[in-house]
Amino acid sequence: RRAMDEVDPEFARSYTAVAFTYNFEGSPHIDTRNIAPFYGLALGGYTGDGGNLRVEVSASELAEVDTRRRLGKVDGRYPHWVTPGYSGGESGFQHHHR
């Protein structure tokens, strides 16, 4: 919660769910229960170039958010996934509004 207080105090006061993952490899999906963007943070010893969150922001545009050892804000109501090409044990968590 302290990390969220420093980054986005309003969000820190209002998020309603936290998801914890380990070695998550997500295929493109939409978080149908989210009512707002979420913050993600991935921890671990990474090798390789992958492990970022990629989001379809429009039919012709992708955004890539690096959440490796840092908080990144993503709108999971758009298709998103974790990019492949990394190894090294990832643990992560996400703060959601549901």
Side-chain angles (χ1 to χ4, degrees), residues 9-70:
E10 183 177 336
F11 187 93
R13 287 189 299 273
S14 62
Y15 69 86
T16 58
V18 178
F20 293 91
T21 61
Y22 181 74
N23 283 345
F24 181 75
E25 293 185 21
S27 58
H29 66 282
I30 295 172
D31 295 338
T32 58
R33 295 180 56 202
N34 288 11
I35 59 170
F38 68 84
Y39 279 93
L41 170 69
L43 305 169
Y46 292 91
T47 58
D49 294 330
N52 295 326
L53 282 172
R54 190 170 287 164
V55 183
E56 288 183 15
V57 294
S58 73
S60 60
E61 184 179 3
L62 295 175
E64 195 158 304
V65 180
D66 186 356
T67 60
R68 294 173 293 181
R69 293 179 281 286
R70 67 184 78 173

